[in-house]
Amino acid sequence: MNGRNAMNEEEILRLQQKLAEMEKDKAEMEKDKAELERKLAESEKSRGMQARDITAEGDVVSGVKYENNYAAPPKDETDPGKLREWYLKRVIQETGILTLQGIDPQSASCRVKDACLNLDAVYTALLTQTAEQEKGGGHRRGDIVDMFEGKESRKLSALEVLDQHPKLALLGDPGSGKSTFVNFVALCLAGENLGREDANIERMTRPLPDDEGNDREKPQPWNQGPLIPVRVVLRDFAARMSPADDGCASDLWSFIESELGKKALGEYAVHLKKELQEKGGLILLDGLDEVPDADHRREGIKRVVEEFEKTFTECRILLTSRTYAYQKDQWRIPRFFETVLLDFSKGQIIRFIDQWYSHSADLMKMDQENAQSRAQTLKREIFANDRLLELAERPLLLTLMANLHAWRGGSLPEKREELYSDAVDLLLDRWESRKIRQDAQGNTLVEPGIAEFLKTGKDKLRKKLNELAFKVHRDQPVLQGTADIPEGVLLPELIKLSSEKESVDLNALIRFLEQRAGLLLSHGNIYTFPHRTFQEYLAACHLTGETYPDEIADLALAEPERWREVALLAGAKAARGSLNTIWQLAGALCVEGPDEEEIGLSDSWGAHLAGRALAEILDFKEEITRRNHLAILQRVRKRLVIVIEGDRLPGFERALAGRHLAALGDPRKPVMSLANMEFCLVPGGGFHMGSNEYDHEKPPHLNEHLQHDYWLSRHPVTNSQYGEFVEAGGYAERRYWDEAEKEGFWKEGKFKGRYDSNFRDRPNNYGSPFNFPNHPVVGVTWYEALAFTRWLTEHWRNQGFIRKDRVVCLPSEAEWEKAARGGVEIPEEPVIIEASSGSWSEKRAAKPNEMPEKKYPWGDEIDKEKANYSKTGIGTTSAVGCFSMVGSPYGCLELAGNVWEWTRSLWGKGYEPVFKYPYEPSPEREDATASPEIRRVLRGGAFHSQPENLRCAFRYGYSPNCRYDDVGFRCCVCAPNTSVLW
């Protein structure tokens, strides 16, 4: 009886489940029917004037014949003007839709015009590291503020740099907007030639956004007119090259001709070539880093570009690439100006969100008021959360965030791994969902999702994709771009998933993969993941199983360049289950060793990756209490110090490690504390000053005026050290601000410089990483630096660190240059002390200076591993000590690069100095009460400076009431009578 009852209950349960499934299927069918009826009604209403979902066989839209989803002219068309018009229409079709493959679940694979994002409607202008150049001055300035313009030296937009340089290499990280910029410029130039109102030069040159997202006063410049654009995806071009190709201009032109032929525009090739050679045009070469390096393909592409430039001399050329790949010397192309894209600023983020929601409101059937409300909500979420803001600064991730926020209507994930996870889920949903469309005859077609098509489960499909991503990432010959997955490899793997393998229609599967955008994109008989980011994320998912963390740690230590992102994403994914897992990964990457000073390259990378993994996941504002976690943290911190102050990793990586160390807590007291600030003795004596490079550096001469001893701080003042001044109320004490108060810059305990909207009681905050505690303080004017030294003099006298006959001040430019170059005699060993030691009078034996007139503090040759400047590629300030392998003869570090440094010396009005050489010290030359119209001398160069600005002799003037993100200072300790500011 009980058995029969049990069976009856099981049968009832089974029937109930079956009924529920039938109801679900019925609901799905009703939903599909309603959606179909809506689409049919819209189609009937538009009477063919709205674009329908296009089939491979072709369709007619607005009287234009489409083949393979693109416009093609009539086959008998031969008129050059008409062919040109068809070509430009084709450019618009190829570039006019924002490429969201792998990002947006609704529009990633759309072919319906009103279901896609139009690029011209949402594009936000990109900024570069290149700063405004001097207008009419005596020398190239590049990264100095233009006083006569009455504004800060601004960063140029990508368009403005393209306007200035006929041969441009536009560099940036994945997702920084390089390809989007290429498409937008091509779209607008094509639209201008066709007289379009929505895409033209006026739209292309729209003013940059200010901090609130509003238009600035002036549009971006474009003085080249409506050039005809020719867009080439270098990955596709390289795939057509054979190893036997010579790498000449004709190879590229043959490819362009063949592409025109595919678009039924073969007759136009001869006319296009004639126009390019006689009138010029804009050649857009996208994705050098995506070119595989097998068979020396990238080397061949480089030769092609060089030869093409010589053949098509009237053309302008834009080349894009990942920064790291291009800045290897063997990939650089001569005569191409280089610039690097910056992350989005606050104003760019605001503009993108406003434009995105305004344009996408119609797609989501949302009224504009509701769309604006959602836009405001998204902006509040981003700007209230530092983690979200850091993600939003990347155009790719901001696009992803906007889509997730809109289509899901929920809160945003704070971490990039969660964003990628949600994006992958959305793409799988897209693959899983049924799709209703119409064929050319108007018949209704319902396509299954991929799991239904393969007759398998979603979990099995996801697991297979994870495994596939891991294998192709492991075996990929090059470390850039996505791996090629041959059709012969992919299809058998997918068919293995099917529960009915024999019934899978191979041709239908191929068509499905070609026509349905998902986690794999078709390139003929080759497939790739939509973006390297997704390849890395899926590989990371594969490695978070039973072998975690040992397998991923072993891979990362053996090949850090290949596995670094995978390791970080694996750690972040595992940490969602338990934070202890991120400590496990850090411990596996940074293992205990017998002697920390002897760590090798692999250990250096391990510490670097462990530091980043911990910094990205954990909040170190809370105290770490578990004993094993604290031991790992201390080990990682200690090794990171060795990494950033050594030469085991490139300067770019050391700068990243410095940022992670800031998040984990930099243990270096001389960097983080004023009491432990280190100073280097510069003994009195003559030194060689000036050079023959520029008039204001002439004549080079022997300066015999610095016969006094003085001490110069080993590093620039850091944010942590300057913060002690702020926290002590230094801005509120009137006695430190006499000159600033007289000029109206200081009142009631706050300071307001030329570029400040309001009075403030701390440095201007330029955001991360400029505000990291171990980075040099920036955003301070000369008056603020002066006030700091006066406070510090008083503070240290009270603590007994310095005697009453010593002051802390800014160095004169002569003191600065001698400290960088060395005197006629230099100490046999540098004398370096901590401020709290009080040992300010110690001297050592001297020896002749073998290089008294050297160019840079380390010698006569520029070296990107010895300073943070333009060629190093960092693009921001770096933690002090990242370039400390070679110091000045007296032990001072990083006098060249990172930040310009204030001196107490006057320059004069305008670009040419009033105080010239030979250097003669005088009260007038260092008058603290001088008008703010008189510039103060800057020395040393900064993170985006050209090599010439890093020379020991280079000098320039900057208004004392101005501040910027590349200007800081260091301190000098000397007798009061040698510093006329006292």
Side-chain angles (χ1 to χ4, degrees):
M1 189 71 174
N2 291 337
R4 286 197 298 271
N5 286 341
M7 289 183 65
N8 288 338
E9 290 173 0
E10 290 176 1
E11 182 68 8
I12 290 171
L13 180 60
R14 186 182 67 80
L15 291 173
Q16 287 176 337
Q17 289 175 341
K18 185 173 182 178
L19 179 63
E21 290 173 359
M22 293 175 65
E23 290 293 332
K24 183 179 180 181
D25 288 341
K26 180 180 178 181
E28 286 289 330
M29 291 177 65
E30 290 294 329
K31 182 179 178 181
D32 291 346
K33 179 182 177 183
E35 178 68 8
L36 175 58
E37 289 174 346
R38 184 186 70 80
K39 286 184 174 290
L40 286 172
E42 290 179 355
S43 179
E44 179 65 25
K45 182 179 179 180
S46 63
R47 294 184 181 275
M49 298 305 291
Q50 289 288 349
R52 292 179 298 179
D53 198 6
I54 309 300
T55 67
E57 291 76 26
D59 202 356
V60 178
V61 181
S62 301
V64 178
K65 174 66 178 176
Y66 279 70
E67 292 179 355
N68 297 324
N69 305 340
Y70 293 111
K75 292 182 179 180
D76 58 350
E77 184 63 72
T78 59
D79 179 67
K82 291 290 186 182
L83 288 169
R84 188 177 193 271
E85 181 180 339
W86 284 105
Y87 167 75
L88 292 168
K89 288 179 179 179
R90 177 61 183 265
V91 171
I92 289 175
Q93 288 174 325
E94 291 178 336
T95 60
I97 300 301
L98 180 61
T99 302
L100 296 176
Q101 290 182 335
I103 300 299
D104 181 3
Q106 299 293 330
S107 56
S109 62
C110 73
R111 297 188 182 103
V112 183
K113 182 179 179 182
D114 61 358
C116 296
L117 293 176
N118 293 333
L119 179 57
D120 60 278
V122 299
Y123 176 79
T124 300
L126 302 171
L127 291 172
T128 70
Q129 289 182 9
T130 303
E132 187 174 32
Q133 302 293 310
E134 179 176 346
K135 298 180 176 67
H139 64 277
R140 180 178 181 179
R141 194 162 54 91
D143 51 351
I144 301 293
V145 174
D146 186 347
M147 180 178 179
F148 294 123
E149 291 291 327
K151 58 187 177 184
E152 290 182 90
S153 175
R154 60 184 179 86
K155 298 295 191 295
L156 303 185
S157 71
L159 181 66
E160 189 165 358
V161 181
L162 181 61
D163 184 54
Q164 291 181 0
H165 299 280
K167 307 295 183 291
L168 175 65
L170 181 66
L171 312 179
D173 292 332
S176 58
K178 303 182 296 296
S179 295
T180 303
F181 176 72
V182 165
N183 290 342
F184 182 68
V185 170
L187 170 69
C188 290
L189 290 178
E192 180 72 21
N193 278 280
L194 291 174
R196 294 272 295 245
E197 293 184 359
D198 56 342
N200 48 39
I201 289 180
E202 181 180 1
R203 174 67 182 93
M204 185 172 74
T205 58
R206 179 183 176 183
L208 293 164
D210 61 16
D211 287 345
E212 302 305 318
N214 302 313
D215 283 351
R216 296 186 185 272
E217 293 181 4
K218 296 181 180 180
Q220 301 172 72
W222 181 254
N223 300 301
Q224 314 309 321
L227 299 177
I228 191 165
V230 179
R231 175 175 158 271
V232 176
V233 178
L234 290 177
R235 181 192 182 103
D236 295 341
F237 170 46
R240 297 276 298 279
M241 290 181 67
S242 71
D245 288 339
D246 295 332
C248 56
S250 62
D251 295 329
L252 180 54
W253 182 252
S254 295
F255 174 75
I256 294 171
E257 279 186 318
S258 67
E259 290 297 294
L260 290 172
K262 289 180 182 179
K263 304 165 189 175
L265 285 164
E267 296 292 331
Y268 180 55
V270 64
H271 305 293
L272 176 60
K273 186 174 184 180
K274 187 174 187 292
E275 179 172 351
L276 293 175
Q277 289 181 327
E278 294 181 358
K279 297 181 180 179
L282 179 60
I283 312 298
L284 302 144
L285 307 176
D286 192 22
L288 178 65
D289 59 286
E290 293 286 334
V291 175
D293 200 25
D295 301 321
H296 304 286
R297 291 287 177 85
R298 199 177 298 169
E299 185 178 334
I301 294 291
K302 179 181 176 182
R303 286 197 303 270
V304 167
V305 176
E306 292 174 347
E307 292 302 316
F308 193 89
E309 173 200 356
K310 297 173 184 176
T311 303
F312 292 81
T313 56
E314 297 300 315
C315 289
R316 305 176 77 85
I317 302 178
L318 170 64
L319 173 76
T320 72
S321 175
R322 284 195 187 191
T323 307
Y324 187 79
Y326 187 82
Q327 289 188 336
K328 294 179 179 179
D329 291 337
Q330 64 267 35
W331 304 132
R332 281 192 162 105
I333 299 178
R335 296 181 298 280
F336 271 63
F337 183 85
E338 299 171 26
T339 191
V340 180
L341 288 173
L342 291 173
D343 288 343
F344 266 177
S345 65
K346 176 185 176 183
Q348 289 171 297
I349 293 172
I350 291 172
R351 172 170 289 182
F352 177 88
I353 294 173
D354 287 341
Q355 291 182 154
W356 194 93
Y357 259 110
S358 176
H359 179 55
S360 60
D362 292 338
L363 308 183
M364 296 179 288
K365 309 302 177 187
M366 184 189 308
D367 61 74
Q368 285 294 329
E369 183 177 353
N370 188 12
Q372 292 175 9
S373 176
R374 284 203 185 189
Q376 292 299 324
T377 300
L378 177 57
K379 286 184 284 189
R380 280 196 300 271
E381 287 186 49
I382 288 174
F383 292 116
N385 186 310
D386 288 342
R387 289 183 181 271
L388 288 181
L389 179 57
E390 185 176 346
L391 294 175
E393 290 171 347
R394 297 290 298 277
L396 171 70
L397 296 182
L398 180 59
T399 304
L400 172 57
M401 293 163 74
N403 279 276
L404 288 172
H405 191 267
W407 297 111
R408 286 295 178 88
S411 60
L412 288 172
E414 293 187 12
K415 297 167 184 173
R416 61 188 181 126
E417 181 274 331
E418 296 176 28
L419 287 176
Y420 300 151
S421 176
D422 284 352
V424 167
D425 288 344
L426 290 171
L427 286 170
L428 282 176
D429 287 343
R430 186 66 177 172
W431 263 5
E432 282 290 291
S433 64
R434 293 175 174 179
K435 181 179 179 183
I436 301 173
R437 67 178 182 86
Q438 293 173 267
D439 63 14
Q441 289 74 40
N443 299 317
T444 302
L445 300 177
V446 179
E447 294 179 351
I450 189 169
E452 183 181 350
F453 184 92
L454 290 172
K455 296 180 175 58
T456 189
K458 182 177 176 180
D459 291 342
K460 287 185 178 180
L461 177 62
R462 173 61 185 275
K463 186 176 181 180
K464 175 60 67 176
L465 290 170
N466 292 346
E467 178 188 357
L468 183 65
F470 167 73
K471 288 180 178 178
V472 299
H473 191 79
R474 178 194 63 196
D475 300 333
Q476 189 175 357
V478 294
L479 302 182
Q480 292 87 33
T482 51
D484 290 343
I485 310 172
E487 189 176 82
V489 172
L490 173 64
L491 298 184
E493 291 295 318
L494 293 180
I495 292 173
K496 284 180 186 177
L497 297 174
S498 178
S499 59
E500 302 178 14
K501 299 178 180 60
E502 302 300 326
S503 65
V504 175
D505 185 334
L506 190 60
N507 291 326
L509 177 58
I510 293 172
R511 285 197 300 273
F512 183 97
L513 293 172
E514 288 177 344
Q515 297 175 10
R516 291 286 291 273
L519 280 171
L520 291 170
L521 303 180
S522 171
H523 304 277
N525 61 351
I526 296 294
Y527 295 83
T528 66
F529 290 100
H531 192 276
R532 184 174 178 84
T533 293
F534 293 101
Q535 176 179 303
E536 292 168 332
Y537 175 71
L538 292 170
C541 292
H542 177 76
L543 291 166
T544 51
E546 294 180 359
T547 64
Y548 178 90
D550 295 332
E551 184 178 9
I552 185 57
D554 290 343
L555 290 168
L557 291 174
E559 285 189 279
E561 293 285 9
R562 182 184 299 274
W563 294 104
R564 61 194 293 174
E565 290 301 319
V566 178
L568 294 167
L569 291 170
K573 184 179 188 303
R576 281 215 258 174
S578 169
L579 286 180
N580 187 55
T581 59
I582 199 66
W583 289 104
Q584 292 173 349
L585 178 60
L589 288 167
C590 187
V591 298
E592 292 185 73
D595 190 342
E596 295 294 336
E597 295 297 334
E598 297 299 324
I599 66 172
L601 181 60
S602 177
D603 293 321
S604 297
W605 274 108
H608 184 18
L609 295 179
R612 182 172 175 182
L614 292 172
E616 287 189 352
I617 300 302
L618 301 176
D619 184 359
F620 287 90
K621 293 177 183 177
E622 299 179 5
E623 185 179 359
I624 305 299
T625 56
R626 289 185 60 174
R627 192 181 312 168
N628 61 327
H629 293 174
L630 187 59
I632 292 171
L633 177 60
Q634 290 174 341
R635 185 163 69 245
V636 173
R637 283 172 173 167
K638 187 175 181 180
R639 287 205 186 155
L640 282 178
V641 172
I642 297 172
V643 167
I644 69 173
E645 293 185 348
D647 59 358
R648 295 168 179 83
L649 299 185
F652 185 88
E653 301 296 342
R654 297 197 302 271
L656 289 179
R659 297 184 191 184
H660 310 330
L661 187 59
L664 271 56
D666 196 326
R668 297 176 296 166
K669 290 183 179 180
V671 167
M672 304 297 287
S673 162
L674 279 176
N676 301 104
M677 181 186 287
E678 292 180 333
F679 283 81
C680 303
L681 172 65
V682 184
F687 76 103
H688 289 275
M689 190 174 189
S691 79
N692 283 312
E693 292 284 337
Y694 295 114
D695 288 343
H696 53 259
E697 296 174 7
K698 297 177 181 178
H701 58 286
L702 181 64
N703 185 332
E704 297 279 12
H705 297 288
L706 297 187
Q707 296 301 320
H708 60 278
D709 296 348
Y710 60 96
W711 296 80
L712 194 66
S713 60
R714 198 176 189 206
H715 301 107
V717 175
T718 63
N719 285 303
S720 177
Q721 291 165 337
Y722 194 88
E724 294 185 40
F725 167 60
V726 174
E727 293 303 316
Y731 275 77
E733 293 295 334
R734 179 182 176 279
R735 62 185 180 276
Y736 309 135
W737 302 89
D738 287 347
E739 295 80 10
E741 183 184 33
K742 176 184 175 183
E743 300 295 341
F745 303 137
W746 181 94
K747 67 178 181 181
E748 299 176 358
K750 293 186 177 182
F751 180 87
K752 183 177 182 296
R754 175 183 294 184
Y755 303 129
D756 296 318
S757 301
N758 301 296
F759 280 85
R760 51 185 173 80
D761 61 358
R762 61 198 62 241
N764 186 73
N765 188 352
Y766 288 99
S768 63
F770 297 96
N771 59 3
F772 285 3
N774 58 3
H775 283 226
V777 65
V778 293
V780 291
T781 65
W782 181 85
Y783 291 102
E784 289 167 278
L786 177 63
F788 173 86
T789 62
R790 288 174 170 170
W791 168 83
L792 191 57
T793 297
E794 185 177 287
H795 181 59
W796 278 355
R797 283 177 176 174
N798 292 339
Q799 290 186 309
F801 292 175
I802 59 174
R803 304 193 307 263
K804 299 295 184 182
D805 61 350
R806 292 288 184 271
V807 297
V808 182
C809 60
L810 297 173
S812 69
E813 65 168 323
E815 289 169 336
W816 189 98
E817 186 170 339
K818 180 179 179 181
R821 232 174 196 171
V824 176
E825 291 186 335
I826 56 175
E828 291 184 355
E829 293 291 337
V831 181
I832 303 170
I833 64 166
E834 287 190 359
S836 59
S837 70
S839 304
W840 298 99
S841 58
E842 184 178 356
K843 291 190 177 182
R844 293 281 178 88
K847 62 180 180 180
N849 186 353
E850 296 178 357
M851 295 183 65
E853 299 181 65
K854 60 184 177 179
K855 274 191 175 183
Y856 305 101
W858 56 81
D860 285 337
E861 299 297 327
I862 191 66
D863 187 339
K864 65 181 180 181
E865 293 303 315
K866 293 179 180 175
N868 177 7
Y869 70 107
S870 59
K871 298 301 181 184
T872 315
I874 296 170
T876 66
T877 57
S878 52
V880 299
C882 287
F883 296 86
S884 58
M885 296 84 71
V886 180
S888 79
Y890 304 108
C892 296
L893 301 177
E894 299 177 341
L895 283 162
N898 210 0
V899 291
W900 290 95
E901 298 180 11
W902 287 116
T903 72
R904 66 177 186 264
S905 300
L906 289 168
W907 169 274
K909 291 184 179 181
Y911 293 119
E912 292 301 321
V914 171
F915 298 98
K916 299 187 177 182
Y917 288 171
Y919 182 91
E920 295 287 342
S922 67
E924 292 77 17
R925 194 164 194 143
E926 297 174 3
D927 182 7
T929 64
S931 165
E933 295 181 1
I934 309 298
R935 296 183 176 194
R936 296 281 167 174
V937 173
L938 287 176
R939 289 297 193 122
F943 56 82
H944 49 63
S945 294
Q946 297 301 314
E948 64 185 43
N949 301 139
L950 273 66
R951 294 179 297 106
C952 297
F954 190 86
R955 57 198 297 254
Y956 199 79
Y958 188 33
S959 301
N961 61 334
C962 294
R963 45 83 182 157
Y964 202 48
D965 64 0
D966 62 351
V967 180
F969 67 99
R970 71 179 71 210
C971 295
C972 178
V973 173
C974 58
N977 63 333
T978 61
S979 171
V980 296
L981 296 184
W982 288 86

